[in-house]
Amino acid sequence: MWTRFFTRKVHWADIIVVAVLVLFFGYIWIQIDGKLNYKWQWERIPTYLFRYDEDSERWVANVLIQGLLTTIRISIFASLLAIVLGVILGMARTAKNLTVRMLARTYLELLRNIPPLVIIFIFFFFLSEQVVTALNIESWAYAVSRSENVAIWEFFFGDMRRFPSLISGVIVLALFESAFVGEIVRSGIESVSKGQREAAQSLAMRWRDEMQIVVLPQAFRKILPPLANQFIVLIKDSAIISLVSVQDLTLRAVELANSTRMLFETWITVAVLYFVLCFGLSMLFRWLENRAKLVPD
Amino acid sequence: MIEIRGLGMYFGKFQALSNVSLSVEAGEKVVICGPSGSGKSTLIRCINRLEEHSSGQLFVDGVEIGEETRNIRNVRMEIGMVFQQFNLFPHLTVLDNLTVGPVRVRKMSRRDAERRARKYLQRVHIPEQADKYPSQLSGGQQQRVAIARSLCMEPKIMLFDEPTSALDPEMINEVLDVMVELASTGMTMICVTHEMGFARKVADKMVFMEEGEIIETAPPEEFFNHPRSKRCQMFLDKVLEH
C-alpha cells in the first residue's frame, strides 16, 4: 500500500494543498510563539506521566496516567454494564408484548432526545446523592481502603476512596450508552431470519432458549463490529463525566493545566493519549475482524 | 390424532383459510396439494400454531389449539416440522442441531441425546456428516438433517412444508426416499408437496386446496384417476403433464 502511495504521481494540486496547510499551521505557530509569548515547557510533561517515588524507589503513574487508567476502567465497566442493559433493551424492543415494547421505546427516546450532559447531571445527582448514600457505599469503600487486600480492589477500581464517584460515573455512562447498544442489538435480532425462530419454536423451545441458543448467537456475530465501534465511542464520551468530578483523564488534565499553566502541552498530550487508545483499539478490532473472516462459519 | 373443524384464518383482510375441515388418524399419511397461495402451508402451520387461526376449532391428540392452550410447547413437542428452507441453525454443527432439542426441551442427558442423534443421522443416510456445519452440506443433505432434527424429538406427527421445493432436481429423490422410509415406520405425516409420484406411493388421503378452501379429499387412486371437481382435474393435468 505504501509503495503504491509513493509511486503514484504527485499532482500540482496536491502541492498547493500541502503548501496552504504548511502556511496555515506556520502562521498559527508564529502567533502562539511570537505574539502570545507562550513559553513551551514540554520537558515537564513526562514527570506528569510517571514520577519517581523516593519512598518505594520505583517509577509510579502520575496524574495523567492515573487519569488514563481511570478512563480505561470506567470505559470497561460501563461497556460491560451497557451491553447487559443493551441486550435487555434490544430484546424488549423486539418483544411480542406491547407494554414491554412501549416501555423500551420510552426509555430509548428519553435517552436519545435529551443532551447527554443533562442526562448525566440528572442521573449523577440522583445516584450520588440518593442511591450511593442509601446503600452506604461510601463507608463501605472507606472500610475497604483501610483493609488488607486493598491492592486487588485498587487494581480494579483505583483509589477506593474515590469509589463512590467512580461507580456513579460508570452507571451514568452505561445508562446513556445502553440506548445505542440496545439499538445495535435490536438490529442484530431483527437480522436473524424468521425461519430460524420458527424452527426453534417448532422444536418446542422456550422463549429463553430460543433467544439464548438460536437468536442471540447469530445476532452477536453480525453486530460485533458496530459494538466494538460503540466501545470506542464510549471511551470518547467518557470525557464528559469529568464534569461530575470523576477523576478521569480529562478532569486530571483540567487540574494540571490550571495549576501549571501548561495549557497547550497538557491538552496536546491528553489528545495524543486518547488518540493512541482509541485508534489502537480500532486497529485491533479491525485485525480481529479480518481474522474472524478467515474462519468459515 | 388431528381434528380440524371449520378453520378460518385472515392475513389482514386477505382470507387465507375458510371453513377448512379435515381429520387425520394416527399413522395416516395425508398429502396436501394445490396451486401456490391456496393456503396449504398456512393450514399445516396452524397445526403447531406458527400461525394463529381466527375461527373454527383445531385439536391435536385431543388438546384444543387456540388462545387458551395453556402450554403450546407440550403440543409442539409431539409435532415435528420440516420447512421449505430447511432452517437449520447455521452456527451449530449438524450434531448440535440434532441434540439441542432433546437436551434443552426434553431435558435429556448430552450422551443420550448424541446417541439418539447418531441413530437418526444413520436413518437419513448421512452419519458421516455429524461434525460439519450446515453450510458445508448440499441442499439435499441439509434437508435430511432437518428431518433428522425433527425426528430426534420423537414426535407423534410430522409436518412437511414443501420439503423439496428449494432443492436442485438431482437432490429431490434422496429426500423423498427418506420420507418414504419414514412413512413405512407408521409415522403420522402431513405433507404439502407437488411431488405426485411420492403422493401416489405413500398417501392414504389426498387433499386438494384452492383459495383457502379444501376442494376435494379422496384416496389416491380415486383422486388421481377420477377427480370429482373440475378445478382439481385442471390442476392435475398441469402437474402430471410431463
Side-chain angles (χ1 to χ4, degrees):
Chain A
M1 181 193 145
W2 285 109
T3 49
R4 231 185 83 200
F5 180 79
F6 281 116
T7 50
R8 216 184 253 167
K9 260 189 195 164
V10 178
H11 203 257
W12 60 268
D14 299 328
I15 298 170
I16 291 178
V17 169
V18 172
V20 167
L21 285 173
V22 168
L23 281 174
F24 178 72
F25 283 107
Y27 176 74
I28 290 179
W29 179 262
I30 289 163
Q31 288 291 315
I32 295 169
D33 212 37
K35 292 197 178 155
L36 274 177
N37 202 12
Y38 189 84
K39 195 163 158 280
W40 292 94
Q41 308 178 59
W42 277 110
E43 68 284 353
R44 286 177 65 195
I45 284 294
T47 59
Y48 291 107
L49 294 173
F50 295 98
R51 68 185 170 83
Y52 188 73
D53 189 48
E54 303 283 340
D55 298 334
S56 61
E57 297 185 329
R58 61 195 174 101
W59 289 91
V60 292
N62 206 352
V63 284
L64 289 181
I65 294 297
Q66 279 173 7
L68 182 69
L69 290 175
T70 303
T71 290
I72 292 172
R73 283 188 189 109
I74 287 177
S75 302
I76 291 173
F77 295 139
S79 294
L80 292 177
L81 190 55
I83 283 179
V84 173
L85 292 173
V87 169
I88 295 170
L89 185 62
M91 289 196 296
R93 288 270 285 152
T94 54
K96 265 189 182 168
N97 187 307
L98 182 68
T99 316
V100 173
R101 273 207 318 269
M102 292 228 301
L103 282 173
R105 182 78 193 272
T106 310
Y107 176 83
L108 179 86
E109 295 297 353
L110 275 177
L111 287 173
R112 272 209 303 210
N113 293 296
I114 298 174
L117 199 53
V118 175
I119 294 174
I120 278 176
F121 276 127
I122 293 172
F123 275 113
F124 184 79
F125 290 121
F126 175 72
L127 276 173
S128 58
E129 300 294 313
Q130 312 295 323
V131 180
V132 172
T133 319
L135 292 176
N136 239 342
I137 289 177
E138 207 142 339
S139 52
W140 172 81
Y142 268 80
V144 170
S145 72
R146 271 179 265 113
S147 69
E148 280 172 13
N149 48 7
V150 66
I152 304 167
W153 288 94
E154 291 203 329
F155 175 77
F156 286 109
F157 301 112
D159 186 353
M160 282 308 287
R161 282 164 302 174
R162 309 286 316 180
F163 183 77
S165 85
L166 180 99
I167 212 71
S168 310
V170 165
I171 293 172
V172 157
L173 204 54
L175 285 173
F176 173 61
E177 294 292 330
S178 68
F180 298 94
V181 175
E183 281 304 272
I184 295 173
V185 172
R186 180 178 69 93
S187 75
I189 290 175
E190 283 173 354
S191 76
V192 177
S193 77
K194 203 167 146 241
Q196 289 289 311
R197 307 187 72 153
E198 287 177 351
Q201 284 160 16
S202 70
L203 286 173
M205 280 191 195
R206 282 180 194 78
W207 179 84
R208 219 194 70 195
D209 288 338
E210 177 185 333
M211 276 291 164
Q212 188 193 329
I213 296 171
V214 177
V215 179
L216 290 180
Q218 294 188 61
F220 265 101
R221 257 163 231 225
K222 291 197 182 115
I223 63 174
L224 225 43
L227 271 187
N229 188 51
Q230 191 62 34
F231 177 58
I232 293 168
V233 170
L234 183 141
I235 294 176
K236 289 186 287 176
D237 285 350
S238 77
I240 69 175
I241 60 168
S242 63
L243 284 163
V244 287
S245 70
V246 177
Q247 292 201 314
D248 73 329
L249 181 55
T250 303
L251 184 64
R252 284 305 179 87
V254 171
E255 293 169 353
L256 184 65
N258 286 345
S259 61
T260 60
R261 303 255 132 241
M262 296 191 295
L263 287 176
F264 287 103
E265 295 91 327
T266 306
W267 286 110
I268 290 169
T269 308
V270 166
V272 168
L273 289 174
Y274 272 118
F275 180 84
V276 168
L277 180 60
C278 294
F279 188 67
L281 279 173
S282 96
M283 296 303 274
L284 175 71
F285 291 147
R286 200 175 302 168
W287 179 74
L288 288 173
E289 202 184 318
N290 285 334
R291 226 179 58 143
K293 269 185 202 142
L294 299 178
V295 186
D297 49 10
Chain B
M1 186 63 90
I2 297 173
E3 186 67 42
I4 300 170
R5 291 186 203 144
L7 212 65
M9 140 110 204
Y10 285 87
F11 284 118
K13 276 190 177 167
F14 174 73
Q15 186 160 22
L17 293 177
S18 62
N19 198 24
V20 171
S21 295
L22 178 70
S23 75
V24 182
E25 302 300 318
E28 202 173 13
K29 283 90 187 134
V30 177
V31 171
I32 304 175
C33 61
S36 60
S38 60
K40 315 175 295 277
S41 293
T42 310
L43 176 61
I44 67 166
R45 286 161 58 86
C46 280
I47 295 173
N48 66 351
R49 209 160 171 78
L50 289 180
E51 306 289 357
E52 297 175 5
H53 59 268
S54 31
S55 59
Q57 284 179 305
L58 170 58
F59 298 89
V60 175
D61 215 6
V63 180
E64 178 163 13
I65 312 289
E67 298 281 344
E68 289 87 42
T69 311
R70 267 263 162 260
N71 216 337
I72 189 67
R73 289 185 44 241
N74 287 338
V75 179
R76 282 178 175 161
M77 275 191 222
E78 306 304 331
I79 306 176
M81 180 137 190
V82 175
F83 300 87
Q84 184 176 352
Q85 300 294 339
F86 327 140
N87 294 343
L88 293 174
F89 306 131
H91 59 300
L92 302 179
T93 63
V94 166
L95 195 64
D96 286 339
N97 265 282
L98 266 60
T99 55
V100 67
V103 168
R104 286 286 171 151
V105 179
R106 293 248 190 236
K107 304 290 172 206
M108 233 182 178
S109 76
R110 239 208 106 73
R111 257 187 59 204
D112 291 349
E114 269 184 32
R115 194 176 310 137
R116 185 185 277 190
R118 291 191 192 279
K119 180 176 105 187
Y120 283 110
L121 276 181
Q122 192 88 45
R123 180 89 67 86
V124 299
H125 314 301
I126 36 175
E128 71 285 358
Q129 311 287 5
D131 298 317
K132 289 200 180 153
Y133 284 91
S135 59
Q136 294 168 298
L137 304 181
S138 72
Q141 289 171 325
Q142 288 190 48
Q143 192 61 298
R144 284 186 282 155
V145 171
I147 293 172
R149 177 175 68 179
S150 292
L151 291 176
C152 275
M153 293 292 285
E154 308 217 310
K156 292 180 183 155
I157 303 162
M158 285 285 287
L159 307 175
F160 292 86
D161 187 1
E162 305 204 22
T164 55
S165 300
L167 295 175
D168 290 336
E170 76 269 22
M171 293 170 183
I172 290 176
N173 278 333
E174 62 189 58
V175 172
L176 291 178
D177 287 346
V178 165
M179 289 168 65
V180 171
E181 286 163 31
L182 180 64
S184 69
T185 65
M187 175 70 77
T188 308
M189 289 165 68
I190 303 181
C191 312
V192 172
T193 182
H194 295 130
E195 299 296 333
M196 290 304 142
F198 166 78
R200 257 188 227 269
K201 210 181 283 178
V202 306
D204 297 313
K205 191 189 276 176
M206 293 296 301
V207 174
F208 176 73
M209 286 185 74
E210 194 173 45
E211 292 174 349
E213 287 176 78
I214 292 185
I215 305 291
E216 188 156 345
T217 308
E221 324 77 75
E222 194 186 319
F223 182 84
F224 288 111
N225 301 329
H226 318 285
R228 271 165 290 156
S229 69
K230 210 166 190 173
R231 283 188 282 183
C232 186
Q233 178 69 64
M234 276 163 61
F235 175 78
L236 285 175
D237 286 346
K238 279 180 199 156
V239 179
L240 299 174
E241 216 163 57
H242 301 286

